Amino acid sequence: MPRAAPSAAPAADAPVSYEAALTELDTLVQAMEGGQLPLDKLLEGYRRGAVLLDFCRDRLASVETQVKVLEEGLQKPWTNT
């Protein structure tokens, strides 16, 4: 019986939400900026940060598309009232 090919990225590595990804990214950046991580941890952190950044960008683009659909394609100025 053939074995299934492993997935490119385990599901456990995927953030559960935009907020969780942003929090993890912030923590990661602080650790990297602290200058106390060894080189391989910095590289690992950079890779994880790239994944988190892509996730956040994709979520924001998705929400922006949904808002445009809800507004029937009309862009409305933001009012803070």
Side-chain angles (χ1 to χ4, degrees):
M1 190 187 271
R3 290 177 43 192
S7 62
D13 288 342
V16 292
S17 68
Y18 173 82
E19 292 77 10
L22 200 55
T23 299
E24 184 181 347
L25 187 57
D26 185 48
T27 301
L28 187 58
V29 167
Q30 287 179 16
M32 292 174 73
E33 286 178 343
Q36 300 298 316
L37 295 176
L39 187 58
D40 14 331
K41 291 291 182 184
L42 282 172
L43 183 57
E44 185 180 308
Y46 181 83
R47 288 180 181 147
R48 179 64 179 162
V51 168
L52 293 168
L53 188 57
D54 285 344
F55 177 86
C56 288
R57 286 179 176 160
D58 289 346
R59 285 296 297 140
L60 287 173
S62 175
V63 169
E64 182 178 277
T65 300
Q66 291 175 27
V67 168
K68 285 181 182 178
V69 166
L70 291 172
E71 293 179 344
E72 299 173 348
L74 300 174
Q75 298 226 353
K76 299 178 182 178
W78 178 262
T79 58
N80 192 12
T81 55

